[in-house]
Amino acid sequence: MKKLMMAFGAALLLFGGAEAKNLKTFSIDDLIPGGATYAQHTPENIYGLQWWGDICMKPDIDKVVSINPVNKYKETTVVTLEQVNNSLKEQKLGQIHHFYSVSFPFAEKKIMKIEIPQKSVFYDFGVHQITKIINVKERAANNDYCKENGSVAYTIDNNLYIADSKGQNIQITNEPKGVVCGQSVHRNEFGILKGTYWSPKGNYLAFYRMDERMVADYPFVDIDTRIATEKPGKYPMAGMSSHEVTIGVYNMATGKTVYLNAGNPKDRYFTNIAWGPDEKSLYFIELNRDQNHSQLFSYNVERGEKEKMLIEESNPKYVEPQHPILFLKGDNTKFIYQSQRDGFNHLYLYSIDGKLIKQITKGNWLVKEVLGFDGKGDNIYISSTEVSPLEVQLYKVNLKTGKRTRVTQVAGTHTTLLSTSGKYVIDRYSSTTAPRCIDLIDVNKGKANNLLTASNPYEGYNTPTIEMGTIKAEDGVTDLYYRLIKPVDFDPAKKYPTVVYVYGGPHAQVVNNTWLGGARGWEIYMASKGYVMFSVDNRGSENRGLNFEQVTFRQLGVTEAKDQIKGVEFLKSLSFVDANRIGVHGWSFGGFMTTNLMLRYPDVFKVGVAGGPVIDWSYYEVMYGERYMDTPESNPEGYKESNMRLKAGNLKGHLLVIHGGVDPTCVPQHTYSFMKACVEAGKYPDLFIYPGHEHGVVGKDRVHLSNKMTQYFDEFLK
C-alpha cells in the first residue's frame, strides 16, 4: 500500500489546532448544489471564455473584454451591455442580461452571435449594429448553426427544419409519431451527442433518422394532473427490440434528401459521423448489436451508395468507437482514426483507401481528446493521461516524427481550448492544491499568463484533511487509487464511523488530481460531522485501459465488489476506523454497487444508501447493458449473478433505496421490483421516491436528498 498526504490536506492542517475553535462549521447549504449558500463556497470562475481567432474573448455581465496575447495580453472592452441592448431595442427584440452565452463564429469578422427566443442575432461590434437575424419557429430545439451558409438546422418535436440565409424556414422531414429526425440516437452512447452534421462548406446537412415504433413503450406517470396521466417513453431493454437508425443527407441546392443505402438497419448501430473535406463522401462507423465488430465505411452523398469499407475491428468482448475520423489539415488523402486496439485509446494515421500508414501515439496511457491542429497542420494537440491516470495534460504531437511536447506544465486535471491558429491555449485546471486556475498559454514560447487563481472557498471553515494513495486489487497485482477523508478535529485515538462512496462502473473515475481529490460536497459535509469518507476506483472504471475495464465483462458487480472489499480491508487496518460501523453510498451504477455490496457482504456493511440503482440488468437499456453483459438469453448465468432481486434475502443491515419518480435512465421498475423481492424474503429496506425527478435529483430538492441521506447514516451508523 502506498500513501501520499495531499498538499491540500496538509495546508488545511494549518487552520486546525489551537485556533480550530475560531473556525466556522459547514452547513449542508454551504456544500450542496441548490443550497442557499452553495455559490459562496464554490471556486471563483470566469465564464464563457472563448477564442475569436487568436484573441481571447472574456464575456461578463455588462461587457465583453478582449485579451490579445500579441499585445502583452492587454484587455480592451469591445462592447457593452448598454450598446447591445440599445440595438436590440431599436429592432424591438427585447434585451439580454449578460454576455455569458454569446459566441464569436467568424475569426475574420467582428461579429458576435446572440441567442434570444426564436432568434439568432448577429451583432457587429466594430460598428455597433445588428447585421442579421435568423428566425426559427416556436418550440425550436437542437439548434445547429452553420457559419459557412448562414443557416440554422433545428427540430420541432420529431421533425427536422432549416432556417436558411434567405429567411425561409424549410421543413426537411415529415415523419409520423415514433420516427425522430435530427436528434441524438442510440441513447447517447458511442459518443453521440447530437443528430445533425453540416458539411465543411455548408452545402449539405447529414442527419439521423430514428424509427422507434418497434420499441416498447415504458409507462412513465405524471402525478401533477388530478388524475395521474401516463406519458410513455421509448425504452429498449436488453435483449428486446431496439430502434432502427438511418442517415439522411439533405442537399441545400436541390432541396432533396438522399438516405444512405446501408441495408436493413435492424440490430445495427451507426456512429461517429464525419464529412470528407471535399463534401463528396460521408464516413461513419457501423457496429453490430453484439458490439464486438466495427467497420468504418465511406458513402457517396449524391447517390447514397456505399463506396468502401476502410477499417475493420473486432474484440472478443467489445469494441467501443466513440470518435469520428479527422482529416489532416489541408490534406484530403489522410485521416486520423482513434482506436483501443492495443489496449489504450490512441491515434492512427490512415490513407483514404483504408491503408494504415502508422500509429501516431503509443503507450500505457489514453488519448482523452483531440483538440485540433496548429496553423500549418504539422502538429496535432491532444489531451492525455500520460503523466498519470489521475491527471489530464495537453500535448503537442508532431505528425511526422510522433514527438510529443507537453504544453500544460502544472500538475492537475486540465481542460483546454485551442485558438484558431493553434498558437495559444485557454487552460482551465484544478488540482488537490488549486481550487481553479485559468491561464492563457503561448504554446511556442511555453509561457502562461494567469487570468485567475481562485482562493480556497473553504477558508475560515473547519475543514477535513484528505489523503490519496494506492492499494492492491483483489488480483494482488493491480494498483487501485483511493481517497481517504479524515473527520474535522481528527483524533487518531478515536474510532470513527466510515462511509464508502462508490461508483465503480465504466466511463467514470471518482479519485483524481482535482480540487478536493474529486470529492463531492456531501463527502466534505459528512467528514465535518465526524465520519471517515473513503473511495477507491475498482477495476472496471475509467482511465486505466481496456484490460482494466473489460475484466468485468458479462459479470457486472462481481470483480468490482471484490476490489471494494480490498478497500474495506485497508480501512480496517487503520486504527481510527470502527470496523463495526462501515456504510456505503452510491448513485446509478454506484446505487447498483451499494445494493450489491450490502447483499454480497452483509456482515461487512451496516448501512447503505442506494440512489437510482440498477437491480436487474435485464431491465436496463440495450446499448449499455448488452455491451457489458451481452443479452439475457446469451448470458443467463451472468444476469442471474448480477440480479439483486435474487439476493434480497441476504440483507442484514439498514438499506435506504432512493429513486426519481420518472427516471428515464434507470427506470423505477428496478427499485419497485427489489422492494417486492424484499417483501417476499421477509426483509425490511427503506424507500424514498422523489416525484417528478429523473435520474438525478436537482435544484433545491438536492439539499433535501443530502439531508435525507445524512439523517439515515446518523440514525443507523453514527
Side-chain angles (χ1 to χ4, degrees):
M1 183 274 294
K2 301 175 185 177
K3 182 170 72 173
L4 173 65
M5 173 71 79
M6 291 167 52
F8 165 76
L12 288 177
L13 287 175
L14 297 175
F15 300 123
E19 300 298 321
K21 62 182 179 181
N22 297 321
L23 298 176
K24 300 176 185 177
T25 301
F26 285 119
S27 72
I28 202 161
D29 281 298
D30 294 333
L31 296 170
I32 303 302
T37 52
Y38 173 73
Q40 301 171 24
H41 299 91
T42 56
E44 184 184 356
N45 201 358
I46 301 175
Y47 298 98
L49 281 177
Q50 58 193 284
W51 290 108
W52 171 47
D54 281 346
I55 296 177
C56 178
M57 304 299 276
K58 184 171 73 170
D60 208 332
I61 293 176
D62 58 354
K63 62 184 175 181
V64 176
V65 171
S66 68
I67 306 173
N68 192 341
V70 175
N71 191 15
K72 298 181 180 180
Y73 299 96
K74 181 181 178 181
E75 297 196 9
T76 304
T77 298
V78 297
V79 65
T80 67
L81 191 66
E82 181 181 10
Q83 289 172 318
V84 169
N85 280 336
N86 285 340
S87 294
L88 291 172
K89 184 178 180 181
E90 289 175 4
Q91 300 276 354
K92 298 181 180 180
L93 296 173
Q95 63 179 3
I96 60 174
H97 302 288
H98 57 75
F99 285 111
Y100 292 139
S101 59
V102 301
S103 60
F104 302 86
F106 303 98
E108 68 284 358
K109 298 179 182 178
K110 294 183 177 182
I111 298 294
M112 178 172 65
K113 186 161 75 77
I114 305 166
E115 296 297 334
I116 61 177
Q118 292 184 237
K119 294 176 182 2
S120 294
V121 178
F122 296 81
Y123 179 88
D124 188 321
F125 54 88
V127 297
H128 297 290
Q129 65 182 27
I130 293 171
T131 59
K132 181 180 178 181
I133 301 171
I134 299 178
N135 296 286
V136 298
K137 292 187 175 183
E138 190 177 359
R139 295 186 293 113
N142 302 299
N143 291 19
D144 185 3
Y145 171 65
C146 177
K147 68 178 182 179
E148 284 74 22
N149 63 22
S151 300
V152 174
Y154 64 95
T155 63
I156 296 178
D157 298 328
N158 63 318
N159 279 299
L160 177 63
Y161 296 74
I162 291 178
D164 67 14
S165 58
K166 299 177 182 178
Q168 303 177 99
N169 274 269
I170 306 165
Q171 185 169 350
I172 306 304
T173 65
N174 186 19
E175 298 287 358
K177 184 178 180 180
V179 179
V180 179
C181 294
Q183 299 183 40
S184 179
V185 300
H186 303 323
R187 296 187 65 82
N188 294 77
E189 295 291 333
F190 317 113
I192 301 171
L193 298 175
K194 63 175 189 171
T196 53
Y197 304 83
W198 287 106
S199 64
K201 301 173 186 176
N203 292 313
Y204 300 91
L205 177 69
F207 62 90
Y208 279 122
R209 177 187 184 273
M210 176 172 61
D211 189 345
E212 296 185 293
R213 289 174 293 185
M214 67 291 298
V215 178
D217 287 329
Y218 193 86
F220 296 104
V221 176
D222 180 2
I223 66 165
D224 290 329
T225 55
R226 184 176 182 185
I227 296 177
T229 306
E230 183 180 354
K231 291 190 173 180
K234 297 295 185 178
Y235 194 90
M237 290 185 178
M240 299 179 70
S241 296
S242 184
H243 54 242
E244 298 176 5
V245 169
T246 50
I247 298 172
V249 178
Y250 177 77
N251 187 318
M252 293 289 288
T254 65
K256 295 181 179 179
T257 298
V258 171
Y259 285 92
L260 303 187
N261 183 18
N264 188 345
K266 182 179 176 63
D267 293 337
R268 298 158 76 194
Y269 303 122
F270 298 142
T271 76
N272 309 120
I273 291 176
W275 278 97
D278 59 6
E279 297 188 315
K280 294 180 180 180
S281 300
L282 192 71
Y283 300 80
F284 63 84
I285 295 174
E286 177 186 322
L287 187 66
N288 65 335
R289 179 157 174 171
D290 282 343
Q291 300 185 50
N292 56 15
H293 181 221
S294 69
Q295 295 174 300
L296 172 66
F297 287 103
S298 64
Y299 280 79
N300 180 283
V301 298
E302 289 290 344
R303 302 190 308 273
E305 296 299 327
K306 187 179 297 182
E307 293 175 329
K308 190 172 185 178
M309 192 275 290
L310 300 169
I311 302 174
E312 189 169 17
E313 286 196 62
S314 61
N315 185 289
K317 295 180 178 178
Y318 54 84
V319 292
E320 190 180 2
Q322 296 189 75
H323 307 280
I325 65 170
L326 176 65
F327 278 85
L328 298 190
K329 195 170 187 177
D331 189 342
N332 294 357
T333 66
K334 300 182 187 69
F335 63 85
I336 292 172
Y337 175 81
Q338 297 191 46
S339 171
Q340 297 187 85
R341 65 182 59 164
D342 72 353
F344 296 87
N345 189 56
H346 281 296
L347 308 185
Y348 297 80
L349 184 63
Y350 276 86
S351 63
I352 197 65
D353 58 2
K355 293 182 180 179
L356 176 63
I357 299 173
K358 64 179 177 180
Q359 184 172 351
I360 300 172
T361 61
K362 189 169 186 172
N364 293 338
W365 46 270
L366 303 112
V367 173
K368 295 284 291 180
E369 183 182 7
V370 173
L371 286 93
F373 299 97
D374 62 9
K376 295 182 179 180
D378 296 331
N379 299 280
I380 191 168
Y381 291 87
I382 64 169
S383 61
S384 80
T385 63
E386 183 171 355
V387 169
S388 165
L390 303 183
E391 296 191 7
V392 177
Q393 300 283 350
L394 179 68
Y395 288 81
K396 180 172 70 173
V397 183
N398 186 278
L399 291 171
K400 289 184 178 179
T401 66
K403 179 183 177 182
R404 296 186 300 280
T405 304
R406 183 170 164 182
V407 177
T408 50
Q409 298 297 325
V410 182
T413 299
H414 295 253
T415 301
T416 51
L417 186 64
L418 199 64
S419 72
T420 301
S421 70
K423 293 179 180 179
Y424 307 101
V425 170
I426 297 172
D427 177 26
R428 295 176 178 268
Y429 65 93
S430 74
S431 68
T432 56
T433 57
R436 179 178 288 115
C437 290
I438 303 176
D439 292 342
L440 291 184
I441 299 177
D442 184 321
V443 175
N444 295 325
K445 294 180 180 179
K447 293 183 178 180
N449 182 74
N450 182 253
L451 299 183
L452 171 70
T453 298
S455 60
N456 178 6
Y458 295 165
E459 187 171 353
Y461 283 79
N462 200 4
T463 312
T465 60
I466 302 177
E467 297 175 3
M468 294 171 68
T470 62
I471 60 173
K472 291 298 181 183
E474 186 268 342
D475 64 3
V477 176
T478 308
D479 282 335
L480 306 177
Y481 291 95
Y482 73 80
R483 178 184 63 242
L484 179 73
I485 308 176
K486 293 179 179 178
V488 297
D489 302 327
F490 174 70
D491 182 351
K494 289 185 177 181
K495 291 280 190 179
Y496 291 95
T498 299
V499 176
V500 176
Y501 171 75
V502 61
Y503 182 79
H507 296 298
Q509 179 185 38
V510 300
V511 182
N512 48 41
N513 189 6
T514 58
W515 180 235
L516 305 177
R520 285 118 177 104
W522 181 75
E523 294 171 76
I524 303 301
Y525 180 67
M526 291 292 281
S528 75
K529 289 175 60 67
Y531 290 87
V532 170
M533 301 299 294
F534 178 80
S535 289
V536 62
D537 282 317
N538 52 250
R539 285 172 294 167
S541 56
E542 191 177 35
N543 287 339
R544 299 292 301 277
L546 204 56
N547 289 338
F548 187 90
E549 179 184 292
Q550 287 189 336
V551 72
T552 65
F553 181 62
R554 286 172 64 95
Q555 53 173 11
L556 289 178
V558 178
T559 300
E560 303 97 315
K562 292 177 181 178
D563 284 353
Q564 290 295 326
I565 289 300
K566 298 303 289 186
V568 172
E569 291 175 5
F570 165 65
L571 287 171
K572 289 181 176 181
S573 73
L574 304 175
S575 62
F576 54 85
V577 169
D578 187 341
N580 295 316
R581 290 189 295 163
I582 296 178
V584 59
H585 162 62
W587 200 276
S588 192
F589 197 101
F592 161 68
M593 283 296 296
T594 296
T595 311
N596 184 36
L597 289 167
M598 290 287 292
L599 301 181
R600 286 187 189 275
Y601 304 98
D603 295 318
V604 173
F605 297 96
K606 185 177 180 181
V607 182
V609 176
V614 175
I615 295 297
D616 181 345
W617 285 100
S618 70
Y619 294 168
Y620 203 67
E621 54 97 342
V622 166
M623 298 83 192
Y624 184 102
E626 292 183 3
R627 180 187 311 131
Y628 303 116
M629 289 289 288
D630 283 339
T631 64
E633 293 74 23
S634 64
N635 183 23
E637 290 304 312
Y639 274 83
K640 181 180 179 181
E641 181 61 28
S642 298
N643 188 337
M644 297 299 103
R645 288 186 292 113
L646 303 181
K647 293 177 170 55
N650 296 345
L651 182 63
K652 287 186 178 180
H654 295 276
L655 175 62
L656 169 63
V657 181
I658 303 174
H659 219 111
V662 289
D663 188 339
T665 303
C666 183
V667 293
Q669 181 177 351
H670 287 275
T671 286
Y672 297 150
S673 67
F674 180 67
M675 291 297 147
K676 180 180 179 182
C678 287
V679 171
E680 293 172 348
K683 299 298 177 178
Y684 298 87
D686 294 298
L687 171 66
F688 199 93
I689 301 296
Y690 278 91
H693 283 277
E694 297 191 353
H695 195 49
V697 178
V698 297
K700 63 182 179 62
D701 290 359
R702 191 172 184 87
V703 177
H704 185 282
L705 165 68
S706 299
N707 265 319
K708 179 68 179 176
M709 297 191 303
T710 302
Q711 290 170 6
Y712 200 77
F713 284 112
D714 280 351
E715 182 175 0
F716 296 112
L717 193 67
K718 193 173 184 182

